[in-house]
Amino acid sequence: MDTSKLTLEECSGGSLEADHLCVLVHGLWGNPSHMLSVAQSLRAQYPRDKLHLLVAKRNSGSFTYDGIETGGERVCHEIEEELEEVKSKGGKITKISIVGYSLGGLVARYAIGLLFARGVLDKLECMNFTAFASPFLGVRSPHGRTLSRMYNALGARTLSVSGQQLFGVDKFRDTGKPLVAVLADPKSIFMSGLARFKRRTLYANVVNDRTAVYYTTSFSRTDPFTDLEGIKVNYVKGYEDVILDPVDPVTYLDHEEKTKAKHASKLRQSIGARVKKQLRKLGLFVVFTIMIPIGVTAYLINAAVQTIRSSRRVKLHEQGLAGINTENFRKLSLWKIKEIRDAVEDAYDELNNSSSNGSAQLEEEEDDDDDDLTAATRRRRGSRMFDNFQRKNSRGVSKEEQQTLALAPYQFEAIKALDSLGWNKYGVYIHNVRHSHAAIIERMKREDFAEGRPNGATVTRKRKRTSTTTTLASTTKPLKTEAGPSSSRRTRTTTTSDQDTDTTRRANPRKAARKTTNPSTGESIVSPPSDWEEIYRLIKEMRLSGPAANAAVDTMGCERLASPQASPRDRRFHTLVALMLSSQTKDTVNAEAMIRLKNELPPYEEGKPPGLNLENMLAVDPALLNQLIGKVGFHNNKTKYLKQAALLLRDNHNSDIPTTLEGLMSLPGVGPKMAHLCMGAENGWNKVTGIGVDVHVHRITNLWGWQSPPTKTPEETRLALESWLPRDKWKEINWLLVGFGQKVCLPVGRKCGDCELGLRGLCKSAERKKVLEGRRRVKVEVKEEVCLKKVEDEEADVKIESGDEGVKMEEEERKVVLKIEEEDIVMETTEVVDEEPVSVKKFEDDEEERKGVVKMEEGEDVVMNSTEVDIPVKESEDDKEEDKKMVVKKSEDVTDSSFIKKEEDDVKMES
């Protein structure tokens, strides 16, 4: 089932058979639709009879200003309502998992504490808590710069209660500490509730997240990603370019390596790129100079309005007038339950410590397999991944590189407490966007969010989705090796028919086209993508005889719409007009418009033929022309462009299309793509001047990762491709990729299961679910072919065996027939009418070989070659004459003329 088109309402809920409730909580300024991709991904993995989805709705939009406490109470109320509703309908929820994004992670943790204190979690099996880019330590900037101080001061005062709690300037109730610190207090109900979950997983953006930076989303004392040129990023094997190795995320480079890396980075940036970068900064400075005053004013006004509204909502909420009885939550103690629990666990631990070492080790190993580990045992285990990372990177690293961030004391305490629970921490490297906070869960459907797409076109997208969803229902422990982000992921790949996925995935990550320096000459050259030749070959095979064959461009492409009966000049004009009409128009619609122009465009004067040519285009009324091309996109503008271009062709180009690229691009409505295609078309000038890059070529090559960083416009893609693609393929690549984009790699609903690139793991943007379905289908087809081949081979063997027996039988039958015919001939040659048959031996042709003595005496036998012949003693003359004729007639095939002569002599002797 394709869940990518499901709405949020269609993903939510579940059947009465579902026993697992999964709650999704969005972030600040968010709404439930931000969790659509996560909901679609979960629904793709778990049907409605397995998983019940609840997307929190009460805390959306401006309601997120009301604070973590109020939001957590709303979410807790929604969860309890959902449980009661399922129960009233006859269902039963026995498991629970919670996913929080951004501020939603803190809201979810608060709700978990309330559920724990109210005894709700005692009735449920707590499975997974997953956080995406959630600021566990708040969002206070640890840097002492002026901008950082302004950011801390302004943010805390413009986001109402949520801002105060996120920046750590609030005093939660009577604790005297910020709410962020209370949430991480080891003795609080929030930590007790969080400890109930079997797995706790977080995903943190390592760069480009300006909302929740790495140190807070991964609660780390250091941020090794501030200087990317001084480190080497290590990825999880099989999840390269997106998921970082949790044990060893980075390797620090020594001074020499760092210098080489910086030098190589400078070499990769051409002078033109540097100039563009500086101009871009200058442009941004000018824009900011103008827009900042306006933007800041609008922001402050909106913040003041939202703060006032938020304070009113919070007041109504606390009074119980917002639909929630807050007394059920506010009367709960934040500490009492936990203190009693800790006292019992500490006494139990002291008793265990007094045992022998062997017994203690055995108990600890058994505790590791126990789902309900005590808090003390969890503290002993700690956050092993974080410690391993610190130990690994402490060797050979300078003090400056290991510098601890200037965090507040409560943040250091929170790090220690949270690490004691044990987490699966995964850094996420989003490359394609400058602000990765929204891309980590694909908060909206955008192509540049592909790396964070949970249910989308790339292997990396599905990797992250499987990291989230496969840990949802699995009961295995977190993975501690390089195999992948979760042990459940590995279990799935080794127990299903999809186990060939890892073998087909490329062992080495693809290298995009990149600038390198020729060591011998020192010249800067562009190296092509590492696997472009294999991709190109497979695309060509699919276009010629595979799923991408017989595309619309093959028969209705612009260069094929020229009338073959027209003159060369008119054919060139046909090609130009078709290209001008093709912009933002499907080939089928464009072909229909061209047919109308070629058939219905009136002649410029009486007696002249109608149809599409320059003279008729000049004379046609614009209203009629607009009507003839009315089905193409932007037909009003194209009508003007055609009329203006016709005048320019008549006045400046001798009533023909321009012979140069610049001349074509000087025509209105003609861009680089149309100009290059017109120059290279057979019905144009048939001169290859460049690559015609349309939306298909631009989109598909970026999906493959041929350009790094991804190009933003077709013209950038053209320049990038021409820098390394062999010139003999410049004309062909447009035809290949346009047809491929029309038949297989569609803009919406790509058929990755039919694409050889996806099936062979060559496309980094392939949608994993479709690829797996395609591989299963291919396996079934292969099995069917093998079975059919086996049946055919068996039938062939049977035919061969029966054929051999038939040949033998036919040979024997033929021998028998020949023998019978031979006997018949001999019998016929010796037959005597009205007398008994005579037995003779065939006479030989040579008279010298005949032996024997013939005695012609009455009453005696005739002996010929020692063969007895019974002949009547007396015969009439007529009988002998008739016998002579019969002998001659019947022995034509077996005797020659000499034999007949001898018979005549014998007859004479007898007479």
Short mmCIF file of all heavy atoms in Angstrom, two decimals, residues 66-73 106 109-111 113-114 161 164-166 168-185 188-190 314 318 329-335:
data_model
loop_
_atom_site.label_atom_id
_atom_site.label_comp_id
_atom_site.label_asym_id
_atom_site.label_seq_id
_atom_site.Cartn_x
_atom_site.Cartn_y
_atom_site.Cartn_z
N ASP A 66 2.17 28.66 25.12
CA ASP A 66 1.65 28.59 26.49
C ASP A 66 2.56 27.86 27.46
O ASP A 66 2.21 27.74 28.64
CB ASP A 66 0.26 27.94 26.47
CG ASP A 66 -0.72 28.72 25.62
OD1 ASP A 66 -0.43 29.88 25.27
OD2 ASP A 66 -1.78 28.16 25.28
N GLY A 67 3.65 27.32 27.01
CA GLY A 67 4.60 26.70 27.91
C GLY A 67 4.59 25.18 27.85
O GLY A 67 3.64 24.54 27.40
N ILE A 68 5.69 24.60 28.32
CA ILE A 68 5.85 23.15 28.32
C ILE A 68 4.87 22.50 29.29
O ILE A 68 4.30 21.45 29.00
CB ILE A 68 7.30 22.79 28.69
CG1 ILE A 68 8.28 23.37 27.66
CG2 ILE A 68 7.49 21.29 28.82
CD1 ILE A 68 9.73 23.26 28.05
N GLU A 69 4.66 23.12 30.42
CA GLU A 69 3.77 22.56 31.43
C GLU A 69 2.34 22.46 30.91
O GLU A 69 1.71 21.39 30.97
CB GLU A 69 3.80 23.41 32.70
CG GLU A 69 2.87 22.91 33.80
CD GLU A 69 2.84 23.84 34.98
OE1 GLU A 69 3.26 25.01 34.82
OE2 GLU A 69 2.39 23.42 36.06
N THR A 70 1.83 23.56 30.37
CA THR A 70 0.46 23.56 29.84
C THR A 70 0.34 22.62 28.66
O THR A 70 -0.63 21.86 28.55
CB THR A 70 0.07 24.99 29.42
OG1 THR A 70 0.22 25.86 30.53
CG2 THR A 70 -1.37 25.02 28.93
N GLY A 71 1.33 22.64 27.77
CA GLY A 71 1.29 21.73 26.62
C GLY A 71 1.35 20.28 27.05
O GLY A 71 0.66 19.42 26.48
N GLY A 72 2.19 19.95 28.05
CA GLY A 72 2.26 18.57 28.53
C GLY A 72 0.95 18.10 29.13
O GLY A 72 0.55 16.94 28.96
N GLU A 73 0.25 19.00 29.85
CA GLU A 73 -1.05 18.62 30.42
C GLU A 73 -2.08 18.38 29.33
O GLU A 73 -2.92 17.46 29.42
CB GLU A 73 -1.52 19.71 31.38
CG GLU A 73 -0.67 19.79 32.65
CD GLU A 73 -1.01 20.99 33.50
OE1 GLU A 73 -1.74 21.89 33.02
OE2 GLU A 73 -0.53 21.06 34.65
N LEU A 106 10.13 17.98 24.64
CA LEU A 106 10.01 18.40 26.03
C LEU A 106 8.57 18.27 26.52
O LEU A 106 8.32 17.85 27.66
CB LEU A 106 10.49 19.85 26.17
CG LEU A 106 11.95 20.11 25.79
CD1 LEU A 106 12.28 21.59 25.92
CD2 LEU A 106 12.89 19.28 26.64
N ARG A 109 7.92 14.68 27.25
CA ARG A 109 8.54 14.24 28.50
C ARG A 109 7.73 14.69 29.71
O ARG A 109 7.61 13.96 30.70
CB ARG A 109 9.97 14.78 28.58
CG ARG A 109 10.95 14.06 27.63
CD ARG A 109 12.28 14.75 27.62
NE ARG A 109 12.86 14.83 28.96
CZ ARG A 109 13.80 15.70 29.32
NH1 ARG A 109 14.26 16.58 28.43
NH2 ARG A 109 14.27 15.72 30.55
N TYR A 110 7.18 15.88 29.64
CA TYR A 110 6.33 16.34 30.73
C TYR A 110 5.07 15.49 30.83
O TYR A 110 4.65 15.09 31.93
CB TYR A 110 5.96 17.81 30.53
CG TYR A 110 5.36 18.46 31.76
CD1 TYR A 110 6.15 19.21 32.62
CD2 TYR A 110 4.02 18.32 32.07
CE1 TYR A 110 5.62 19.80 33.75
CE2 TYR A 110 3.47 18.90 33.21
CZ TYR A 110 4.28 19.64 34.04
OH TYR A 110 3.74 20.22 35.16
N ALA A 111 4.47 15.19 29.67
CA ALA A 111 3.27 14.34 29.67
C ALA A 111 3.59 12.94 30.20
O ALA A 111 2.77 12.33 30.91
CB ALA A 111 2.71 14.25 28.26
N GLY A 113 5.79 12.20 32.49
CA GLY A 113 5.84 12.29 33.95
C GLY A 113 4.45 12.29 34.57
O GLY A 113 4.21 11.63 35.61
N LEU A 114 3.51 13.00 33.96
CA LEU A 114 2.14 13.02 34.48
C LEU A 114 1.49 11.64 34.37
O LEU A 114 0.79 11.20 35.29
CB LEU A 114 1.31 14.07 33.73
CG LEU A 114 1.77 15.53 33.88
CD1 LEU A 114 0.86 16.45 33.06
CD2 LEU A 114 1.79 15.96 35.33
N VAL A 161 5.52 32.16 27.72
CA VAL A 161 5.97 31.19 28.73
C VAL A 161 6.95 30.19 28.13
O VAL A 161 7.95 29.81 28.76
CB VAL A 161 4.76 30.47 29.35
CG1 VAL A 161 5.22 29.48 30.41
CG2 VAL A 161 3.78 31.47 29.94
N GLN A 164 10.46 31.65 28.02
CA GLN A 164 11.13 31.67 29.32
C GLN A 164 11.63 30.28 29.70
O GLN A 164 12.75 30.15 30.23
CB GLN A 164 10.15 32.19 30.37
CG GLN A 164 9.68 33.62 30.15
CD GLN A 164 8.61 34.04 31.13
OE1 GLN A 164 8.42 33.38 32.15
NE2 GLN A 164 7.92 35.13 30.83
N GLN A 165 10.85 29.26 29.46
CA GLN A 165 11.26 27.90 29.84
C GLN A 165 12.35 27.37 28.93
O GLN A 165 13.27 26.68 29.38
CB GLN A 165 10.04 26.99 29.81
CG GLN A 165 9.00 27.33 30.87
CD GLN A 165 7.71 26.56 30.71
OE1 GLN A 165 7.48 25.92 29.68
NE2 GLN A 165 6.86 26.60 31.74
N LEU A 166 12.30 27.68 27.64
CA LEU A 166 13.33 27.21 26.72
C LEU A 166 14.68 27.88 27.00
O LEU A 166 15.73 27.25 26.86
CB LEU A 166 12.91 27.46 25.27
CG LEU A 166 11.84 26.52 24.70
CD1 LEU A 166 11.38 27.01 23.34
CD2 LEU A 166 12.37 25.10 24.58
N GLY A 168 15.60 29.03 29.90
CA GLY A 168 16.03 28.74 31.25
C GLY A 168 15.99 29.90 32.21
O GLY A 168 16.77 29.93 33.18
N VAL A 169 15.09 30.86 31.98
CA VAL A 169 15.01 32.01 32.89
C VAL A 169 13.81 31.91 33.82
O VAL A 169 13.55 32.83 34.59
CB VAL A 169 14.94 33.32 32.07
CG1 VAL A 169 16.19 33.50 31.24
CG2 VAL A 169 13.70 33.35 31.18
N ASP A 170 13.04 30.82 33.73
CA ASP A 170 11.86 30.66 34.57
C ASP A 170 12.23 29.98 35.89
O ASP A 170 13.31 29.41 36.04
CB ASP A 170 10.81 29.80 33.83
CG ASP A 170 11.30 28.39 33.62
OD1 ASP A 170 12.45 28.21 33.10
OD2 ASP A 170 10.59 27.43 33.95
N LYS A 171 11.30 30.05 36.84
CA LYS A 171 11.41 29.33 38.10
C LYS A 171 10.16 28.47 38.23
O LYS A 171 9.07 28.98 38.48
CB LYS A 171 11.52 30.30 39.28
CG LYS A 171 12.68 31.28 39.17
CD LYS A 171 14.03 30.56 39.18
CE LYS A 171 15.17 31.57 39.09
NZ LYS A 171 16.49 30.92 39.03
N PHE A 172 10.34 27.16 38.01
CA PHE A 172 9.18 26.28 37.95
C PHE A 172 8.62 26.02 39.35
O PHE A 172 9.29 25.43 40.20
CB PHE A 172 9.57 24.97 37.27
CG PHE A 172 8.41 24.02 37.08
CD1 PHE A 172 7.36 24.36 36.25
CD2 PHE A 172 8.37 22.82 37.75
CE1 PHE A 172 6.30 23.50 36.07
CE2 PHE A 172 7.31 21.95 37.57
CZ PHE A 172 6.26 22.29 36.73
N ARG A 173 7.39 26.47 39.51
CA ARG A 173 6.67 26.31 40.78
C ARG A 173 7.55 26.72 41.97
O ARG A 173 8.14 27.80 41.97
CB ARG A 173 6.15 24.89 40.91
CG ARG A 173 5.12 24.52 39.83
CD ARG A 173 4.48 23.19 40.11
NE ARG A 173 3.62 22.78 38.99
CZ ARG A 173 2.97 21.62 38.94
NH1 ARG A 173 3.08 20.76 39.95
NH2 ARG A 173 2.23 21.32 37.91
N ASP A 174 7.63 25.84 42.96
CA ASP A 174 8.40 26.18 44.15
C ASP A 174 9.79 25.56 44.16
O ASP A 174 10.47 25.51 45.19
CB ASP A 174 7.64 25.75 45.40
CG ASP A 174 7.34 24.25 45.40
OD1 ASP A 174 7.55 23.61 44.33
OD2 ASP A 174 6.93 23.71 46.43
N THR A 175 10.24 25.07 42.99
CA THR A 175 11.55 24.40 42.94
C THR A 175 12.70 25.40 42.90
O THR A 175 13.83 25.07 43.28
CB THR A 175 11.64 23.50 41.70
OG1 THR A 175 11.52 24.30 40.52
CG2 THR A 175 10.52 22.46 41.72
N GLY A 176 12.42 26.60 42.38
CA GLY A 176 13.50 27.58 42.23
C GLY A 176 14.42 27.26 41.08
O GLY A 176 15.47 27.90 40.92
N LYS A 177 14.08 26.26 40.25
CA LYS A 177 14.92 25.86 39.12
C LYS A 177 14.13 25.96 37.82
O LYS A 177 12.89 25.90 37.83
CB LYS A 177 15.41 24.41 39.31
CG LYS A 177 16.29 24.23 40.53
CD LYS A 177 16.92 22.84 40.53
CE LYS A 177 15.88 21.74 40.69
NZ LYS A 177 16.52 20.40 40.82
N PRO A 178 14.81 26.11 36.70
CA PRO A 178 14.10 26.11 35.42
C PRO A 178 13.41 24.76 35.19
O PRO A 178 13.83 23.72 35.69
CB PRO A 178 15.21 26.34 34.39
CG PRO A 178 16.34 26.91 35.16
CD PRO A 178 16.25 26.33 36.53
N LEU A 179 12.34 24.81 34.40
CA LEU A 179 11.59 23.57 34.14
C LEU A 179 12.47 22.56 33.40
O LEU A 179 12.34 21.34 33.61
CB LEU A 179 10.35 23.89 33.31
CG LEU A 179 9.50 22.69 32.87
CD1 LEU A 179 9.06 21.87 34.08
CD2 LEU A 179 8.30 23.14 32.07
N VAL A 180 13.38 23.03 32.54
CA VAL A 180 14.27 22.12 31.83
C VAL A 180 15.12 21.32 32.82
O VAL A 180 15.37 20.12 32.63
CB VAL A 180 15.16 22.91 30.85
CG1 VAL A 180 16.20 21.99 30.21
CG2 VAL A 180 14.33 23.56 29.77
N ALA A 181 15.54 21.97 33.90
CA ALA A 181 16.32 21.27 34.92
C ALA A 181 15.45 20.30 35.70
O ALA A 181 15.91 19.19 36.06
CB ALA A 181 16.96 22.29 35.86
N VAL A 182 14.20 20.67 35.98
CA VAL A 182 13.31 19.77 36.72
C VAL A 182 12.99 18.53 35.90
O VAL A 182 12.92 17.41 36.43
CB VAL A 182 12.01 20.52 37.11
CG1 VAL A 182 11.01 19.58 37.78
CG2 VAL A 182 12.32 21.69 38.02
N LEU A 183 12.82 18.71 34.59
CA LEU A 183 12.54 17.55 33.73
C LEU A 183 13.66 16.52 33.77
O LEU A 183 13.44 15.32 33.57
CB LEU A 183 12.33 18.01 32.28
CG LEU A 183 11.02 18.74 31.97
CD1 LEU A 183 11.04 19.25 30.53
CD2 LEU A 183 9.82 17.82 32.17
N ALA A 184 14.91 16.99 34.02
CA ALA A 184 16.07 16.09 34.04
C ALA A 184 16.51 15.75 35.45
O ALA A 184 17.57 15.13 35.62
CB ALA A 184 17.22 16.72 33.26
N ASP A 185 15.75 16.13 36.44
CA ASP A 185 16.12 15.81 37.82
C ASP A 185 15.93 14.31 38.06
O ASP A 185 14.85 13.76 37.82
CB ASP A 185 15.26 16.60 38.80
CG ASP A 185 15.83 16.57 40.21
OD1 ASP A 185 16.04 15.44 40.73
OD2 ASP A 185 16.07 17.64 40.77
N SER A 188 12.74 13.24 39.93
CA SER A 188 11.44 13.73 39.49
C SER A 188 10.63 12.61 38.84
O SER A 188 11.16 11.58 38.40
CB SER A 188 11.62 14.87 38.50
OG SER A 188 12.18 14.39 37.29
N ILE A 189 9.31 12.84 38.78
CA ILE A 189 8.43 11.88 38.13
C ILE A 189 8.71 11.81 36.63
O ILE A 189 8.43 10.79 35.98
CB ILE A 189 6.95 12.24 38.37
CG1 ILE A 189 6.66 13.66 37.87
CG2 ILE A 189 6.59 12.11 39.83
CD1 ILE A 189 5.20 14.07 37.97
N PHE A 190 9.29 12.88 36.07
CA PHE A 190 9.54 12.90 34.63
C PHE A 190 10.66 11.94 34.25
O PHE A 190 10.59 11.25 33.22
CB PHE A 190 9.88 14.33 34.21
CG PHE A 190 8.91 15.36 34.72
CD1 PHE A 190 9.27 16.24 35.71
CD2 PHE A 190 7.62 15.40 34.23
CE1 PHE A 190 8.37 17.18 36.20
CE2 PHE A 190 6.71 16.34 34.71
CZ PHE A 190 7.09 17.24 35.71
N VAL A 314 -3.46 30.65 29.31
CA VAL A 314 -2.89 29.96 30.47
C VAL A 314 -3.75 30.19 31.71
O VAL A 314 -3.98 29.27 32.52
CB VAL A 314 -1.44 30.42 30.71
CG1 VAL A 314 -0.91 29.87 32.02
CG2 VAL A 314 -0.55 29.99 29.55
N GLU A 318 -5.50 27.25 33.79
CA GLU A 318 -5.26 26.98 35.21
C GLU A 318 -6.56 27.02 36.02
O GLU A 318 -6.67 26.35 37.05
CB GLU A 318 -4.28 28.02 35.76
CG GLU A 318 -2.87 27.86 35.21
CD GLU A 318 -1.94 28.96 35.67
OE1 GLU A 318 -2.44 29.98 36.22
OE2 GLU A 318 -0.72 28.81 35.49
N PHE A 329 -3.82 17.32 37.61
CA PHE A 329 -2.40 17.31 37.31
C PHE A 329 -1.60 18.11 38.34
O PHE A 329 -0.50 17.72 38.72
CB PHE A 329 -2.15 17.88 35.91
CG PHE A 329 -2.89 17.16 34.82
CD1 PHE A 329 -3.82 17.82 34.04
CD2 PHE A 329 -2.67 15.81 34.57
CE1 PHE A 329 -4.49 17.17 33.03
CE2 PHE A 329 -3.33 15.16 33.57
CZ PHE A 329 -4.26 15.83 32.78
N ARG A 330 -2.14 19.25 38.77
CA ARG A 330 -1.38 20.14 39.65
C ARG A 330 -1.23 19.59 41.07
O ARG A 330 -0.32 19.98 41.79
CB ARG A 330 -2.04 21.53 39.70
CG ARG A 330 -2.13 22.22 38.33
CD ARG A 330 -0.76 22.50 37.75
NE ARG A 330 -0.81 22.95 36.37
CZ ARG A 330 -0.89 24.23 36.01
NH1 ARG A 330 -0.96 25.18 36.93
NH2 ARG A 330 -0.91 24.55 34.73
N LYS A 331 -2.14 18.71 41.47
CA LYS A 331 -2.05 18.16 42.81
C LYS A 331 -1.02 17.03 42.92
O LYS A 331 -0.71 16.58 44.02
CB LYS A 331 -3.40 17.65 43.27
CG LYS A 331 -3.90 16.44 42.48
CD LYS A 331 -5.28 16.00 42.94
CE LYS A 331 -5.77 14.78 42.17
NZ LYS A 331 -7.13 14.37 42.61
N LEU A 332 -0.50 16.59 41.80
CA LEU A 332 0.48 15.50 41.81
C LEU A 332 1.81 16.00 42.36
O LEU A 332 2.26 17.11 42.06
CB LEU A 332 0.69 14.95 40.39
CG LEU A 332 -0.54 14.31 39.73
CD1 LEU A 332 -0.21 13.96 38.28
CD2 LEU A 332 -0.97 13.06 40.48
N SER A 333 2.44 15.15 43.15
CA SER A 333 3.76 15.49 43.67
C SER A 333 4.82 15.21 42.62
O SER A 333 4.77 14.21 41.91
CB SER A 333 4.05 14.67 44.94
OG SER A 333 5.38 14.87 45.36
N LEU A 334 5.76 16.10 42.52
CA LEU A 334 6.84 15.93 41.55
C LEU A 334 7.93 15.01 42.07
O LEU A 334 8.76 14.55 41.29
CB LEU A 334 7.45 17.29 41.20
CG LEU A 334 6.50 18.33 40.59
CD1 LEU A 334 7.26 19.63 40.38
CD2 LEU A 334 5.90 17.83 39.30
N TRP A 335 7.97 14.69 43.37
CA TRP A 335 9.11 13.99 43.94
C TRP A 335 8.74 12.77 44.75
O TRP A 335 9.52 11.83 44.82
CB TRP A 335 9.90 14.94 44.86
CG TRP A 335 10.00 16.33 44.34
CD1 TRP A 335 9.32 17.42 44.77
CD2 TRP A 335 10.83 16.77 43.27
NE1 TRP A 335 9.66 18.52 44.05
CE2 TRP A 335 10.60 18.16 43.11
CE3 TRP A 335 11.74 16.14 42.43
CZ2 TRP A 335 11.26 18.91 42.15
CZ3 TRP A 335 12.39 16.89 41.49
CH2 TRP A 335 12.15 18.26 41.34
#
